[in-house]
Amino acid sequence: MCQSDTHAYALSRRSFLKTSTAAGFAGLAGGLSILNAGDAYAAGTSGYKALICLDLQGGLDGMDVLLPRDQPSFDQLAALRQGLFSAHNVGSGTSARDRENLIALDIANGSEFGSRQFGFAPEMAPLAQMFNDGDMAVIGNIGTLVEPTTRESMQNGLSTLPKRLFSHNSQQSIWLTRDLEGRKPGWGGEFLDALSGANRDFVGMATAGSPFLDKADIRRFDLPLGSFPRSRFEHSPYILRSGAQSDPLKRIMSEHMAAQGSRADNLFQRDLDAVHAKGEATTQAFIEAYGNLAPTSVAFPNHWVGEQFEAIANAISMRDALNVGNRQIFYTQRFGFDSHGAQIGYVERLEEIADAISAFREAMIAAGMWDSVCIFTTSDFGRTLSAGGSGTDHGWGSHAFVMGGSVAGGRIIGDVIPADKTHPQYTRSRPRLIPTTSVDQYAATLGRWFGMDDGALRTIFPNLGNFDTPDLGIF
Amino acid sequence: MAYTFLNQASFGATTEELEAAIGTSATDWVSAQMAIPHTEVLDEMVARYAARDTSGESLFAQMQASWWTGFLHGEDQLRQRAAFALSQIVVRSETTNEPMLRTIATYDLYQRHALGNYADFLEDVTYSVGMGDFLTYLHSAKENESTGRMPDENYAREIMQLFTIGLVELNMDGTPKLDGQGTAIENYSNEDVVGLARVFTGFKPHSSDNESTRYIESLYKPMRQIDSNYEFGEKTFLGYTIAENTPPRDNVRQAIDVLVAHDSFPPFISRQMIQRMTQSNPSPAYVERVATAFANGSFTAADGATFGDGRRGDMKALMAAIVLDAQFFDDLPPALDERKLREPILRMAHILRALEFSNDDPEMHRYVFSRFGRRDKLAMAPMRAPSVFNYYRPGHVALNSQTGAAGLTAPELQLITPASIRGYSDALVEFIYVGMGNNIDPERAFLPVFSRELELQNDPVALVDHLDSLLVNGALDPVTRQRIYDALTEMPVRDDDRYRDKDRLSRVMTSIWFVATSTDFAVTQ
């Protein structure tokens, strides 16, 4: 964080909790009473809670989601994004980026931003409503950081930087696992490992591949959209001819899919056998639980994001049947944000996300679960400030969005840096936002709500101590 | 040994091929393979596109069919393996609704250069409009101070990170070089990316003089570079400077030459090609032997046969070094970690090659193969990876696993989930039990025949012995073997003219299913 910063753009405070003293973090655990470390598990897991990671793959341009609404700020951004805004036909009156069409966000801490106003584009209408209802917070200028960093500290070599900035897979990995690929478990897995009970088969569920939830004996369950389809044998048993009605035959084939011998001489087969075994057991349990789901009247949109959120809503309804316990983390994603060109494609993608989350919220409210779930976005990085063409290149700082009944919403937590290349929170070349909120602070805040104790969080996020506030005050 | 060699160098061998191979020379086989000219499909696809003749199936389906026709029927098996491997390293994926001709043009490049030279391949790839579109440097232009526009960095980053040298400096054995603190050394900085991005400027689709063919030619012909968008200034990257006013084509060629000349290039590419061909976790010694051949552009087998023309990046030398490595010819069983976990396409192709199917009409392939890449089937299709990072990462070490605990890379484990295991079984069942294309044209359908196996179906031991040596090199687990016997007991042949033949066939199909879904089959033996 900029220390004695007398720049005209002095940054707003990141959290109303300001400088916590030794009195520290009491009262931050989302309403749960603080207990001794030894009781962290027992207390932390009273009442069900679920974190839902929505990973926006490719690098979400936060500056194209949280848009400036006051005329001077809007003009400032538009000047630097001529190619993109022209592709949007800004000025036509019907453009998704026309200033008049932006939906005003009613920001409870708006005074921190002076005369600046903000809005969401029309495609985000349901989420603008959610923000104004107090169920969403925006996390401003967040990204991977080792320690507070500015353009000056970078140029003087005073800050340690995250490894391999601007590289998709490396930054995705640092966001979700704190390190480059393959080095550490995902922090979702860390939380589950600390807080899950004995049955760990379904505590981490993912609708797409990611290492985010894997750690030790927590292995992500690949959540299907709908149920598992019937196997071809179940669909067409006649192909087994004289064996079609044979229960022993079914059993033998099922056992074969579940376990095939120890293969003492071959590690690859042993691992494959383990996936087979775990797979068969969990698949059957899931199919049965899914079959007993009560029908719902909530209509989820008919695209991949909608289907993923529907699957999550169903899975939450199935938690007792699957013996999940009180803590669960979901991972879901949408690709398509690596907008080197054709960034107007964001309109469609953001609309899908807004509609899907809106339906999800409706389902959770109907189930009385909206206060127990928290959706949070992640992304590789943000994007470059200037868009001379129809898109933007890889950036660094971006905005994240947190939604749920427990979120103290209607606020922008953190900084929104003005669209000004000379601002010291941009890199000199390109320019790219340098984050002022770290992923570690974000994850630790989510973890604390989830029931993690402070000591455990500092172990999982060793860089947390480099920042003023270990808790962003989201809840 | 014949089994191992043929299954590593091709998509799988029939019993006849395995028997015929015994006593012959593997180097002769490789030499003969390398003499077979390659096939390109673009002209035919362009003609079909122009004539609006897609015969009821999309160009996408036709392209998938081209791959599978090559896998299953190509005489040039080694080239097909190499092309498929290249398509997983220099990834160009059809993931959006964009003109399929661009994708098909890239397919031809894999075929053309799979046994050619890697630098030539990269040059053609760089000029392909498919790659320009996929990695977004089509239309990338030199810096414009007033709008703030800068050259697109996407291709510059990925050509280094994924297509040539990788993230960190490597020894010839594929292990990372370490600095004084024991940390890996980054190959490039962001400045290098910015400098290299200046090389890939000015690209535009081909623009024919002939107005009536201009659009279609723009979809598949190599890109041009226009002076007004091209960066004529100096470009500096990786300690090398391309002089100002270097013509565009020379500048691309120089950049590629710099990347290919880099010390990390041979081991970085070699290790991944080995992973696609023979071992998921190659030993450093093996990587070094292969990388050396790739760097020298030449490989000499133990019997004196030589491969490659001596130019760095020679693919013949690379492929020969991989499949003719001495370790595969010493009659010793592979060690604990010297295996390859085969991706679903390799496993399926093996079944389809090793066993007898009828009416294998390439025209029918369009109907057959385009559906099998879906998530609920093989979950993998050529040129349909979710991103330029392919279906799995070469450095993937599975958490909470035995391979992971031993520090082995097992990329293919990334793709294997309970859902994918079910999908693979279902895809197999479609071929083994049901056949494909019956409802389109029964006369030309792709149907299981399994005549050799039918002869043995009444003798479970003989049947399983046969499948064991054909498909898993004699390594079938005794537990699986017993399960097949038990299953066959539950599937008697009914003494009724209406049922007898199909009951027999179903016993064979079921036995095949057990072996094809066994972990013994999934891993090289």
Side-chain angles (χ1 to χ4, degrees):
Chain A
M1 179 72 201
C2 303
Q3 277 87 26
S4 50
D5 187 5
T6 55
H7 194 280
Y9 294 100
L11 300 174
S12 58
R13 296 201 180 282
R14 272 178 279 121
S15 161
F16 61 78
L17 290 167
K18 28 180 308 190
T19 49
S20 335
T21 60
F25 319 107
L28 294 182
L32 300 174
S33 55
I34 299 297
L35 296 177
N36 304 323
D39 291 333
Y41 167 69
T45 57
S46 61
Y48 173 86
K49 280 188 177 173
L51 282 169
I52 300 161
C53 174
L54 172 59
D55 190 17
L56 303 172
Q57 296 230 312
L60 175 81
D61 186 7
M63 291 185 269
D64 200 22
V65 181
L66 181 71
L67 291 150
R69 238 187 106 249
D70 60 285
Q71 192 76 55
S73 304
F74 182 88
D75 292 342
Q76 198 184 34
L77 183 68
L80 291 167
R81 295 193 145 201
Q82 291 171 34
L84 174 59
F85 275 34
S86 127
H88 268 291
N89 225 357
V90 167
S92 69
T94 56
S95 163
R97 295 293 180 270
D98 270 335
R99 195 189 65 86
E100 303 74 41
N101 293 339
L102 301 180
I103 305 170
L105 295 179
D106 188 11
I107 301 163
N109 60 329
S111 58
E112 292 178 26
F113 301 93
S115 60
R116 298 165 66 200
Q117 294 167 1
F118 301 96
F120 283 162
E123 63 264 22
M124 299 259 294
L127 295 184
Q129 188 62 52
M130 200 180 288
F131 181 94
N132 290 336
D133 286 345
D135 279 350
M136 174 203 279
V138 175
I139 314 298
N141 197 23
I142 180 176
T144 56
L145 280 174
V146 175
E147 56 181 338
T149 306
T150 63
R151 179 169 69 210
E152 198 186 328
S153 71
M154 278 176 78
Q155 284 171 344
N156 296 338
L158 293 175
S159 313
T160 306
L161 301 180
K163 301 172 211 171
R164 297 187 193 148
L165 284 171
F166 321 126
S167 163
H168 283 297
N169 55 320
S170 303
Q171 290 300 300
Q172 270 175 32
S173 184
I174 295 177
W175 259 87
L176 299 179
T177 75
R178 303 155 287 160
D179 206 334
L180 300 173
E181 289 173 295
R183 299 198 181 170
K184 294 204 174 91
W187 46 267
E190 296 279 6
F191 292 176
L192 290 172
D193 190 33
L195 297 176
S196 298
N199 187 338
R200 311 197 132 201
D201 286 342
F202 298 103
V203 294
M205 291 197 175
T207 56
S210 167
F212 178 56
L213 299 173
D214 297 333
K215 188 204 172 180
D217 60 351
I218 305 271
R219 206 194 144 89
R220 78 166 189 268
F221 176 78
D222 292 291
L223 182 61
L225 308 178
S227 183
F228 288 98
R230 286 190 300 167
S231 78
R232 203 56 160 87
F233 289 124
E234 288 165 325
H235 196 272
S236 328
Y238 66 84
I239 60 182
L240 292 170
R241 307 293 304 173
S242 60
Q245 305 303 321
S246 162
D247 283 341
L249 181 58
K250 288 193 182 70
R251 184 184 37 81
I252 294 164
M253 294 174 94
S254 174
E255 282 172 4
H256 172 72
M257 292 304 278
Q260 296 184 20
S262 63
R263 302 312 313 178
D265 65 344
N266 188 318
L267 297 182
F268 295 99
Q269 276 179 258
R270 282 193 234 161
D271 282 345
L272 202 46
D273 282 341
V275 180
H276 275 242
K278 177 64 74 172
E280 201 50 28
T282 53
T283 299
Q284 294 307 328
F286 185 92
I287 289 173
E288 197 181 310
Y290 189 92
N292 292 328
L293 265 180
T296 168
S297 59
V298 175
F300 281 84
N302 194 12
H303 45 63
W304 192 43
V305 194
E307 288 170 344
Q308 291 181 95
F309 272 98
E310 184 171 13
I312 294 172
N314 286 337
I316 291 174
S317 300
M318 289 157 66
R319 67 192 182 284
D320 289 337
L322 295 175
N323 203 12
V324 164
N326 272 330
R327 289 295 180 271
Q328 205 165 16
I329 304 183
F330 296 89
Y331 172 89
T332 189
Q333 71 176 217
R334 212 242 181 256
F335 51 80
F337 293 96
D338 189 24
S339 47
H340 288 270
Q343 192 166 313
I344 53 170
Y346 269 35
V347 174
E348 189 187 300
R349 281 156 221 154
L350 292 173
E351 186 172 23
E352 286 182 1
I353 289 167
D355 288 346
I357 294 179
S358 177
F360 181 77
R361 175 173 180 270
E362 202 186 318
M364 290 298 101
I365 288 174
M369 301 294 289
W370 182 235
D371 288 357
S372 304
V373 303
C374 173
I375 305 166
F376 65 97
T377 64
T378 58
S379 192
D380 322 12
F381 33 65
R383 304 196 76 83
T384 51
L385 173 59
S386 324
S390 66
T392 48
D393 214 315
H394 301 179
W396 189 1
S398 188
H399 303 314
F401 307 88
V402 189
M403 293 152 275
S406 300
V407 172
R411 297 177 299 137
I412 299 177
I413 300 172
D415 302 309
V416 184
I417 311 295
D420 172 359
K421 288 194 280 197
T422 67
H423 192 289
Q425 212 51 34
Y426 288 100
T427 58
R428 188 176 299 287
S429 79
R430 295 314 302 256
R432 298 162 156 125
L433 268 175
I434 303 166
T436 43
T437 298
S438 75
V439 175
D440 289 351
Q441 292 168 285
Y442 183 52
T445 308
L446 296 168
R448 217 171 266 105
W449 173 80
F450 198 60
M452 297 292 288
D453 73 70
D454 192 61
L457 288 169
R458 286 188 183 278
T459 305
I460 292 168
F461 302 108
N463 292 330
L464 196 56
N466 296 342
F467 301 94
D468 280 350
T469 46
D471 190 298
L472 300 176
I474 297 173
F475 301 95
Chain B
M1 179 202 302
Y3 175 93
T4 301
F5 172 69
L6 283 179
N7 280 289
Q8 289 183 160
S10 76
F11 279 90
T14 62
T15 303
E16 289 71 25
E17 285 165 345
L18 287 172
E19 285 168 5
I22 294 173
T24 67
S25 151
T27 54
D28 285 348
W29 187 90
V30 174
S31 298
Q33 281 285 304
M34 291 191 176
I36 303 171
H38 74 279
T39 314
E40 295 191 14
V41 302
L42 184 60
D43 288 345
E44 185 196 331
M45 297 297 177
V46 169
R48 286 193 202 214
Y49 177 88
R52 291 291 183 275
D53 168 25
T54 56
S55 302
E57 286 290 327
S58 66
L59 281 181
F60 165 71
Q62 292 183 58
M63 192 202 66
Q64 290 294 311
S66 297
W67 278 106
W68 281 95
T69 303
F71 296 163
L72 301 188
H73 301 295
E75 289 300 317
D76 57 347
Q77 283 287 294
L78 185 62
R79 178 188 301 279
Q80 294 305 316
R81 284 295 300 264
F84 181 47
L86 265 185
S87 78
Q88 295 190 61
I89 297 172
V90 181
V91 176
R92 195 282 174 183
S93 188
E94 186 276 315
T95 54
T96 59
N97 292 331
E98 41 85 38
M100 189 54 57
L101 284 182
R102 289 180 176 172
T103 307
I104 292 172
T106 317
Y107 167 86
D108 273 3
L109 297 184
Y110 295 126
Q111 295 289 324
R112 183 186 306 161
H113 294 289
L115 295 179
N117 183 286
Y118 199 91
D120 297 340
F121 170 62
L122 275 186
E123 185 174 352
D124 275 359
V125 162
T126 301
Y127 280 95
S128 73
V129 65
M131 187 58 81
D133 171 71
F134 184 57
L135 289 182
T136 61
Y137 59 99
L138 173 62
H139 305 304
S140 175
K142 65 186 178 190
E143 185 173 339
N144 180 328
E145 287 264 353
S146 61
T147 64
R149 179 173 186 158
M150 297 283 284
D152 188 291
E153 290 170 14
N154 207 4
Y155 189 57
R157 184 183 307 284
E158 308 307 359
I159 195 175
M160 286 197 286
Q161 179 172 344
L162 300 176
F163 302 166
T164 53
I165 61 179
L167 287 165
V168 295
E169 290 186 26
L170 298 178
N171 298 304
M172 279 300 268
D173 66 4
T175 57
K177 291 188 181 171
L178 302 177
D179 65 13
Q181 281 80 48
T183 316
I185 305 162
E186 302 287 313
N187 256 336
Y188 57 88
S189 68
N190 206 53
E191 275 70 53
D192 294 311
V193 174
V194 172
L196 185 58
R198 292 156 64 86
V199 169
F200 303 116
T201 49
F203 286 95
K204 289 286 177 190
H206 178 82
S207 180
S208 172
D209 293 332
N210 182 341
E211 208 182 306
S212 65
T213 59
R214 183 173 303 143
Y215 173 67
I216 195 175
E217 288 188 24
S218 76
L219 296 181
Y220 67 89
K221 288 211 166 164
M223 293 189 286
R224 58 197 164 113
Q225 280 171 289
I226 59 175
D227 285 357
S228 54
N229 281 359
Y230 169 70
E231 174 58 75
F232 276 98
E234 233 175 45
K235 298 133 187 140
T236 299
F237 54 92
L238 299 175
Y240 182 87
T241 300
I242 297 180
E244 64 173 343
N245 293 325
T246 301
R249 188 115 208 168
D250 291 349
N251 133 96
V252 167
R253 188 71 216 196
Q254 278 187 48
I256 289 172
D257 286 343
V258 168
L259 296 173
V260 167
H262 195 284
D263 283 348
S264 294
F265 167 72
F268 182 67
I269 297 300
S270 296
R271 190 179 193 279
Q272 292 181 73
M273 288 297 286
I274 295 172
Q275 286 180 307
R276 296 297 104 241
M277 298 297 294
T278 57
Q279 290 181 356
S280 296
N281 184 77
S283 68
Y286 183 25
V287 174
E288 181 154 359
R289 294 191 289 272
V290 174
T292 303
F294 197 40
N296 294 337
S298 175
F299 173 73
T300 303
D303 67 358
T306 61
F307 302 89
D309 66 5
R311 224 171 24 125
R312 187 178 177 93
D314 189 290
M315 293 295 293
K316 291 188 169 77
L318 174 70
M319 296 304 292
I322 291 174
V323 301
L324 293 175
D325 193 70
Q327 68 178 299
F328 301 120
F329 300 92
D330 61 9
D331 271 331
L332 296 172
L336 196 67
D337 51 1
E338 287 171 0
R339 312 274 176 157
K340 174 173 163 56
L341 177 50
R342 304 195 290 170
E343 54 266 42
I345 286 178
L346 290 184
R347 287 184 256 157
M348 179 64 84
H350 186 183
I351 291 291
L352 298 179
R353 270 184 71 82
L355 296 165
E356 186 188 356
F357 292 84
S358 75
N359 293 324
D360 209 358
D361 183 344
E363 285 291 303
M364 287 296 286
H365 288 175
R366 291 203 303 275
Y367 301 105
V368 168
F369 292 106
S370 59
R371 295 162 38 211
F372 281 86
R374 285 170 16 189
R375 210 177 300 146
D376 61 340
K377 293 280 187 292
L378 292 185
M380 182 187 195
M383 297 182 75
R384 283 223 106 193
S387 78
V388 71
F389 294 96
N390 196 34
Y391 283 99
Y392 30 69
R393 310 289 302 121
H396 177 70
V397 175
L399 284 176
N400 193 30
S401 68
Q402 301 207 30
T403 51
L408 310 184
T409 53
E412 302 83 358
L413 272 179
Q414 255 190 302
L415 199 56
I416 294 178
T417 65
S420 78
I421 289 171
R422 292 180 126 233
Y424 167 69
S425 170
D426 275 358
L428 276 177
V429 169
E430 297 256 10
F431 280 106
I432 296 173
Y433 283 87
V434 180
M436 301 300 307
N438 282 354
N439 54 335
I440 306 294
D441 184 344
E443 289 297 302
R444 295 156 65 211
F446 190 85
L447 296 174
V449 178
F450 305 158
S451 41
R452 189 194 197 101
E453 289 75 23
L454 270 174
E455 289 166 16
L456 302 174
Q457 63 79 28
N458 204 30
D459 181 351
V461 175
L463 174 60
V464 177
D465 281 349
H466 160 71
L467 292 175
D468 190 356
S469 61
L470 174 64
L471 297 175
V472 290
N473 205 17
L476 192 66
D477 190 291
V479 170
T480 305
R481 176 180 281 267
Q482 185 59 49
R483 285 194 177 127
I484 300 176
Y485 297 156
D486 293 344
L488 291 176
T489 308
E490 296 295 316
M491 301 177 67
V493 177
R494 290 169 287 185
D495 187 21
D496 182 326
D497 287 344
R498 292 174 295 172
Y499 306 144
R500 190 179 298 110
D501 286 345
K502 288 193 174 169
D503 283 356
R504 284 180 177 146
L505 192 54
S506 189
R507 285 161 62 84
V508 165
M509 293 164 169
T510 303
S511 306
I512 293 168
W513 176 83
F514 271 98
V515 177
T517 53
S518 70
T519 59
D520 302 314
F521 181 72
V523 175
T524 53
Q525 300 297 342

